[in-house]
Amino acid sequence: MNDISQNVNGGSVFRVDKFVVPAAAREEILVKVRTTHELLRQQQGFVQDFLLEQFSGPGEFNLVTIVEWESKAAVDMVVPIVKAAQERVAFDPQETIARLGVRADIANYQRIPGV
């Protein structure tokens, strides 16, 4: 097993969502992100979160969210909680992203040991 695999099992996991958001969609996306993050902050294993907006530079992603979780187990526990909350309010993230012309790059990350 390599160092990175060991870290997933025993270290923080970072959920990083990067979005290309058209100006006309900004407010609706921010409402959805803030609502989701309010729920995430209440979950066991939550460490911290950030909502970042690009203000300079050539990058294409203008909104980025980062959530740090204590472990992969914490991430695994929160996924069904978020899905259930979205279903209760009839929020379909994929439909919203498509309707608003948003592009998303979503993945879980971990620290590289020794850096």
Side-chain angles (χ1 to χ4, degrees):
M1 185 180 285
N2 65 33
D3 288 340
I4 292 176
S5 296
Q6 291 170 353
N7 192 35
V8 165
N9 295 322
S12 291
V13 173
F14 298 85
R15 168 69 180 247
V16 180
D17 297 355
K18 300 177 285 190
F19 302 98
V20 177
V21 179
R26 181 181 180 274
E27 289 309 313
E28 184 173 345
I29 289 296
L30 286 175
V31 167
K32 300 297 187 191
V33 167
R34 287 180 177 129
T35 300
T36 300
H37 280 243
E38 287 172 13
L39 174 65
L40 297 178
R41 289 183 196 115
Q42 299 170 20
Q43 303 309 308
Q44 183 176 346
F46 172 87
V47 176
Q48 64 180 333
D49 66 335
F50 300 94
L51 171 57
L52 308 172
E53 185 168 31
Q54 180 184 17
F55 69 92
S56 70
E60 68 175 324
F61 298 104
N62 54 342
L63 286 179
V64 176
T65 66
I66 302 171
V67 179
E68 181 180 1
W69 295 97
E70 288 179 352
S71 65
K72 183 179 180 309
V75 174
D76 293 343
M77 287 186 335
V78 79
V79 169
I81 293 169
V82 170
K83 285 185 181 184
Q86 291 170 338
E87 288 173 5
R88 279 194 301 277
V89 297
F91 171 53
D92 180 344
Q94 288 75 28
E95 180 279 327
T96 301
I97 285 171
R99 176 175 51 81
L100 295 174
V102 172
R103 283 195 311 109
D105 178 26
I106 297 171
N108 291 326
Y109 293 80
Q110 59 193 359
R111 287 190 174 128
I112 297 173
V115 177

